[in-house]
């Protein structure tokens, strides 16, 4: 398995983790038990999604540039 498949799988699982943390955050706000750390909990998968998404976005351009 090459790196591109690994990054794609990690990106997919990170999107699931981010969605779950956002749902938990919405539930906490609706119940009135919102804590600051709970709001920041979604930032870690979000930043990791940013970097993996930028890599996946640039991948076709990099392969085209390498092939000449």
């Amino acid at each position: 398995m090459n790196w591109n498949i690994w990054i794609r799988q990690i990106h997919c699982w990170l999107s699931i983790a981010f969605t779950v943390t956002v749902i938990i955050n919405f539930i906490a706000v609706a119940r009135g038990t919102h804590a600051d750390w709970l709001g920041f909990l979604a930032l870690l998968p979000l930043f990791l999604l940013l970097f993996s998404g930028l890599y996946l976005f640039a991948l076709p351009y990099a392969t085209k540039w390498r092939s000449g």
Side-chain angles (χ1 to χ4, degrees):
M1 209 187 294
N2 60 8
W3 281 101
N4 300 337
I5 296 172
W6 277 100
I7 298 292
R8 197 172 300 276
Q9 280 288 351
I10 290 170
H11 186 78
C12 184
W13 283 104
L14 281 173
S15 67
I16 293 170
F18 176 70
T19 304
V20 168
T21 55
V22 168
I23 290 171
I24 290 171
N25 199 359
F26 279 141
I27 291 171
V29 168
R31 293 182 67 198
T33 59
H34 184 262
D36 287 338
W37 65 270
L38 194 58
F40 293 125
L41 190 62
L43 291 179
L44 177 65
L46 182 63
F47 285 129
L48 294 174
L49 273 171
L50 172 72
F51 294 126
S52 63
L54 286 174
Y55 173 79
L56 290 173
F57 177 76
L59 192 60
Y61 300 108
T63 55
K64 187 190 297 185
W65 177 70
R66 279 186 179 175
S67 67

